[in-house]
Amino acid sequence: MADHHQAAQFHAGTLTDGWHWLGAHPAERRNKRGWIFRVWAPHAQNVSVVGDFNSWDETANRLARRGEIWEGFIPGLRQYDIYKYAVTGEDGETRYKADPYGFHMETRPATASKLYDIGGFRWTDAAFQARKRQVYASPLNIYEVHLGSWRRRENGDFLDYRDLARELAAYVKDMGYTAIELLPVTEHPLDDSWGYQSTGYFAPTSRFGTPHDFMWFVNHMHKNGISVILDWVPAHFCKDAQGLYQFDGTCCYEYSDPNKWEHASWGTRVFDYGRPEVKSFLFSSARFWLEEYHIDGLRVDAVASMLYLDYDRQGGAWTPNIHGGRENLEAIEFLRELNAMAFAQDPAVLMIAEESTAWPLVTRPAEVGGLGFNLKWNMGWMNDMCHYLKLDPWFRQDHHRDITFSMMYAFSENFVLPISHDEVVHMKGSVVGKMPGDYKNQLRCTRGFYAYLLAHPGKKLLFMGAELGQWHEWNSNQQLDWYLLDNEENRQIHQFFKDANAFYKKTPALWEIDFSWEGFEWLVPDDNHNNVVVFLRKDKKGRDLLCAVNFSPNTYENYRMGVPPRRKYVPMLNTDDPAYGGDGFGDTAAVPVEAIPSHGKEHSAAIRIPAFGAVFLRGEGVFPKPRAKKQAKDVET
């Protein structure tokens, strides 16, 4: 009966824990220990399991058809035995396929699945799980990591999951980030795809170890208070022969419509979101990482490509929906159901959309027409800032909107501000390399920009390497330039990132009200001539932090702006501190608030702002009210 129930759910598109049933699992039949196999191959003529254990003989271990599912038991197999499905299609051709639900795979260039029992790992992260809170009023500062190139052994080999966990957890904790986001760890054949073209939606890549090793990685991160977010790719899959591509000789996982089935520029196939079995597969993959690996969030890649039927369709070769529109109605419904399922699994989960268009309500609930994510990457802010930072400072005055326009829509979604791996590859330059001037000036600009990122409403994400002052682009085939820390100037900017992250975490005004105007107020939005913006961030208790950012090469000695009627503003962080390689320009004592009208306010303060720098000052006290003058009494004459 259990099999019948699971099969019914699978074919209805509602099976969300399909890994328990499909794939390969240890079992016992007639007092014999072995493994039971189940695979979906609706148009196959025959399916058998082949591997070293039967000399890859397609006739030795045939599976029996149960509707569209093929299943069978093979005694005597052991963990780590390699296997594939030999799938004979209607065309008579036999294709050797890795297990779509396989838990472990050979390391590339080998492509077979490996038998592996993922049960039995002893988790010790209960305390971390109990402390998890909703993201909206919590600090979230994400360190984006590619495990293969963060750090390597001296001989150039990869670190394994356990060594990565030890070194990365210690580093991230010391640097003050609150979470890591991993470029896809789902098994993938080509290193240069960085994991975004997957063949194993239930298998952490074997490049760094076993499934239990990756569980140990996550558990260790949690024991150090660090959340783990995975990049997850339901938008497309690679066309490698052993993967999902034309699994039984027909389009199983991909659309069968040639106008929908492929992203030609990526060389990948598109999942058929209208096919129930494909939805069950993807729902199960997402839940698998959340449930079996205790993952804290999924960053869903390439959402824009899922939403639009004409996405990257050259020459108008696309099929409209039933209403004649360009929206992929099946993908929309899939995303809504995906997010509902994820939040049912973990109410505090992070479901993050990489979505680059003006699609409305991405981070709003489905019942009000939204997609149901709780966070979305702010690609508009990212593009504006990367454009602005590359400008010669003289011309920035004509592009001031690049640093202010984001506030026109900042609270339309729950945004993450991403400076991700995509911004430091393909001739885009490193973060430091985007800045004008010589290297010292580039470091100065980087400090000012990072302070602006931390102060701008929204959660934060930065790709690894920027904190080192790395001057060239990210190279996925080698580790970060850790040798730079032998230089004093790089140690100084490294210390700045550490201190700035610590300041962010301990300052609720920078994260407690990220998604509404109650947490933000412009003081000086329009000073394009001086390339300066000044604003307040506020916490739920009404405490405010004055944030002044100067994108020009000029220092400003007495920069006056209107402020609330505080008694004074106390300097808290200065990116030009000599400890960070700066000149020390900025206020070191409390700045008094004066009864001088400015910028539409009755009170103002005059502060010092360093070149290409930022200063944060905390408002304290209440401006003293003027004493009422005593009125002379009337004297009788």
Side-chain angles (χ1 to χ4, degrees):
M1 286 297 293
D3 285 358
H4 177 75
H5 178 67
Q6 288 167 317
Q9 286 186 310
F10 177 69
H11 293 303
T14 59
L15 184 64
T16 62
D17 61 350
W19 73 91
H20 290 303
W21 184 55
L22 291 147
H25 301 275
E28 187 173 323
R29 296 288 186 274
R30 296 178 181 177
N31 296 321
K32 291 185 177 180
R33 290 189 171 275
W35 292 69
I36 191 166
F37 297 82
R38 290 188 187 91
V39 63
W40 176 57
H43 297 102
Q45 289 186 13
N46 182 69
V47 179
S48 61
V49 182
V50 294
D52 288 345
F53 59 88
N54 63 10
S55 302
W56 299 86
D57 181 354
E58 297 171 15
T59 66
N61 297 105
R62 296 182 185 273
L63 300 182
R65 179 190 280 277
R66 302 283 187 267
E68 295 184 356
I69 306 295
W70 298 77
E71 69 175 41
F73 175 76
I74 305 176
L77 301 185
R78 296 173 299 177
Q79 182 147 292
Y80 298 117
D81 279 350
I82 62 172
Y83 70 100
K84 283 187 177 181
Y85 296 113
V87 183
T88 304
E90 291 177 338
D91 56 3
E93 181 180 343
T94 299
R95 299 164 178 85
Y96 280 22
K97 293 290 188 178
D99 191 342
Y101 288 81
F103 297 142
H104 195 23
M105 293 182 73
E106 288 186 292
T107 306
R108 52 89 180 100
T111 59
S113 300
K114 284 182 170 182
L115 294 176
Y116 196 92
D117 182 0
I118 61 171
F121 182 80
R122 183 172 173 269
W123 291 92
T124 58
D125 62 347
F128 175 87
Q129 301 287 4
R131 290 195 304 268
K132 287 170 68 171
R133 297 183 296 167
Q134 293 282 355
V135 68
Y136 307 110
S138 304
L140 181 62
N141 190 6
I142 304 166
Y143 186 63
E144 189 188 29
V145 180
H146 177 254
L147 289 179
S149 60
W150 178 70
R151 195 187 290 276
R152 293 194 176 188
R153 303 196 190 280
E154 289 187 6
N155 64 0
D157 289 347
F158 293 133
L159 297 176
D160 60 42
Y161 284 123
R162 296 185 185 229
D163 285 343
L164 279 165
R166 296 182 186 98
E167 295 197 26
L168 187 57
Y171 180 78
V172 169
K173 188 175 182 179
D174 181 61
M175 290 299 293
Y177 295 99
T178 66
I180 59 170
E181 180 176 319
L182 302 180
L183 273 63
V185 298
T186 43
E187 192 60 82
H188 52 283
L190 180 66
D191 288 5
D192 289 345
S193 81
W194 311 329
Y196 289 100
Q197 296 192 13
S198 177
T199 52
Y201 277 76
F202 295 82
T205 177
S206 60
R207 287 168 175 80
F208 315 117
T210 69
H212 277 179
D213 290 336
F214 186 58
M215 291 178 183
W216 197 95
F217 175 98
V218 176
N219 190 64
H220 190 72
M221 288 292 162
H222 286 174
K223 288 170 68 176
N224 283 275
I226 301 163
S227 299
V228 182
I229 303 165
L230 293 189
D231 277 12
W232 183 67
V233 191
H236 60 123
F237 58 88
C238 63
K239 296 195 292 185
D240 290 58
Q242 78 277 13
L244 302 177
Y245 173 69
Q246 295 184 340
F247 191 80
D248 63 1
T250 68
C251 294
C252 286
Y253 291 89
E254 63 265 69
Y255 280 111
S256 58
D257 181 348
N259 282 351
K260 297 169 73 173
W261 72 11
E262 190 158 332
H263 285 308
S265 61
W266 296 342
T268 55
R269 282 289 167 95
V270 180
F271 282 106
D272 183 348
Y273 308 107
R275 191 162 193 174
E277 296 84 1
V278 175
K279 291 174 67 175
S280 289
F281 172 81
L282 290 172
F283 291 151
S284 294
S285 174
R287 181 176 170 184
F288 173 77
W289 296 106
L290 301 178
E291 184 172 311
E292 297 289 352
Y293 284 88
H294 292 203
I295 294 301
D296 305 294
L298 299 176
R299 180 271 206 176
V300 181
D301 182 65
V303 169
S305 74
M306 301 170 65
L307 294 175
Y308 295 100
L309 294 166
D310 61 348
Y311 185 91
D312 199 28
R313 306 291 174 192
Q314 305 303 319
W318 58 281
T319 302
N321 63 34
I322 57 173
H323 305 300
R326 57 196 285 254
E327 301 82 12
N328 188 332
L329 303 178
E330 298 160 350
I332 294 167
E333 188 60 28
F334 163 76
L335 290 170
R336 288 171 173 166
E337 293 177 10
L338 167 73
N339 288 317
M341 181 271 294
F343 288 111
Q345 177 70 21
D346 177 4
V349 72
L350 302 172
M351 292 299 291
I352 308 170
E354 189 220 9
E355 206 286 314
S356 57
T357 74
W359 188 281
L361 306 179
V362 172
T363 56
R364 298 296 182 263
E367 53 265 30
V368 298
L371 294 182
F373 291 93
N374 58 357
L375 294 170
K376 169 185 169 173
W377 276 19
N378 192 337
M379 308 294 274
W381 172 88
M382 178 275 296
N383 284 318
D384 285 346
M385 287 311 305
C386 288
H387 172 260
Y388 186 82
L389 293 172
K390 293 176 183 177
L391 291 171
D392 184 296
W394 175 259
F395 298 108
R396 287 179 174 176
Q397 60 186 322
D398 299 321
H399 297 272
H400 195 69
R401 71 180 298 279
D402 283 351
I403 54 174
T404 60
F405 182 69
S406 58
M407 290 309 302
M408 298 294 290
Y409 60 88
F411 308 120
S412 63
E413 301 277 9
N414 302 333
F415 283 119
V416 174
L417 307 178
I419 299 296
S420 74
H421 65 279
D422 280 331
E423 277 46 79
V424 293
V425 291
H426 304 323
M427 305 300 290
K428 295 177 185 176
S430 66
V431 172
V432 168
K434 298 181 194 305
M435 309 297 176
D438 60 19
Y439 187 54
K440 181 176 181 179
N441 201 64
Q442 289 177 318
L443 294 175
R444 183 192 304 268
C445 293
T446 299
R447 297 194 301 269
F449 166 64
Y450 190 65
Y452 168 76
L453 184 155
L454 292 180
H456 190 290
K459 306 309 178 184
K460 325 299 177 186
L461 179 141
L462 188 73
F463 186 58
M464 63 183 197
E467 77 278 12
L468 305 177
Q470 188 159 313
W471 60 269
H472 62 65
E473 289 189 332
W474 169 50
N475 182 345
S476 63
N477 295 315
Q478 63 186 44
Q479 70 173 2
L480 296 181
D481 292 340
W482 295 103
Y483 66 85
L484 290 172
L485 294 180
D486 292 338
N487 305 323
E488 183 181 16
E489 58 191 352
N490 296 96
R491 290 196 298 273
Q492 289 171 331
I493 194 168
H494 195 249
Q495 185 65 45
F496 164 75
F497 273 87
K498 179 178 177 178
D499 291 354
N501 290 344
F503 181 76
Y504 167 79
K505 275 207 300 188
K506 73 180 183 183
T507 308
L510 292 177
W511 43 261
E512 207 167 50
I513 313 176
D514 260 330
F515 304 134
S516 86
W517 280 105
E518 295 175 356
F520 179 91
E521 180 185 347
W522 276 122
L523 297 180
V524 184
D526 55 357
D527 189 3
N528 68 304
H529 179 71
N530 290 311
N531 300 352
V532 169
V533 289
V534 188
F535 51 86
L536 296 179
R537 292 301 309 277
K538 305 173 186 179
D539 66 17
K540 290 183 176 180
K541 295 182 178 179
R543 296 173 297 197
D544 59 55
L545 184 73
L546 188 152
C547 309
V549 188
N550 175 15
F551 290 98
S552 85
N554 306 312
T555 57
Y556 297 113
E557 181 66 41
N558 287 291
Y559 192 96
R560 183 170 295 277
M561 79 291 291
V563 296
R566 297 290 188 187
R567 178 179 293 274
K568 60 186 176 180
Y569 276 87
V570 179
M572 301 300 295
L573 184 70
N574 180 1
T575 65
D576 201 49
D577 192 307
Y580 309 141
D583 297 327
F585 188 88
D587 294 295
T588 55
V591 177
V593 173
E594 301 171 277
I596 301 175
S598 182
H599 297 85
K601 293 184 178 294
E602 295 181 0
H603 303 84
S604 62
I607 64 173
R608 307 175 86 212
I609 313 178
F612 292 124
V615 290
F616 295 165
L617 300 94
R618 185 182 66 222
E620 292 188 358
V622 179
F623 193 85
K625 294 181 179 180
R627 293 181 180 179
K629 294 182 180 179
K630 293 182 179 180
Q631 295 183 352
K633 295 182 179 179
D634 290 336
V635 180
E636 293 185 23
T637 58

